[in-house]
Amino acid sequence: PLVYCWRGGKRSGSLAWFLDQMGFRTHVLAGGYKAFRAAVIADLERLPGRFAFEVVCGKTGSAKTRLLGALRDAGAQVLDLEDLASHRGSVLGILPGRPQPSQKAFETQVWNTLRRFDTSRPVYVESESKKIGNLRVPEALLQRMRGNGRCLRVEMPDAGRLALLLEDYAFLGADPELFCRLLEGLVTLRGRETAEGWQ
């Protein structure tokens, strides 16, 4: 087991000693969670600059996420931010049964994914706004994607987009109350009257 406390001091050392006495081969996280978190933050500042990003762009419903999955299955390096954030990124983008992680957990997952990639190969990622649901995309990553990434534009006819959207968001039809609550998020963009009409 890996043992850690806030600063990697006596508490984790005592527990590690106790587990050692029971026959476990333990490891103590040097500097504790505080040092680990500082390392993640520092790495998220520098790691994105080491990669060439192929940014998949296109309208909602044009199968960008499915394309990322196909690329991953073909052996490409894929950073699926929406999967890590447990959210599709739109107002209606919740994933049923998958609550969003905390900001720190999301950042740790992004860091853990990036640190395993080969810097000599491109990384495929979907174009995102600053936030995915309630989570913020690390600033250095966002800047690298926008400033240095190569946009791969996906285009699909509206009929195809509609079919995919109805498939991906079918759960909303089974839960009208949830659907109406989510539509509330569009009041500021489209006005109260329009949002209420949709509700």
Side-chain angles (χ1 to χ4, degrees), residues 15-26:
L15 182 57
W17 174 84
F18 181 72
L19 290 171
D20 280 337
Q21 298 305 303
M22 294 172 53
F24 289 98
R25 190 183 62 169
T26 60

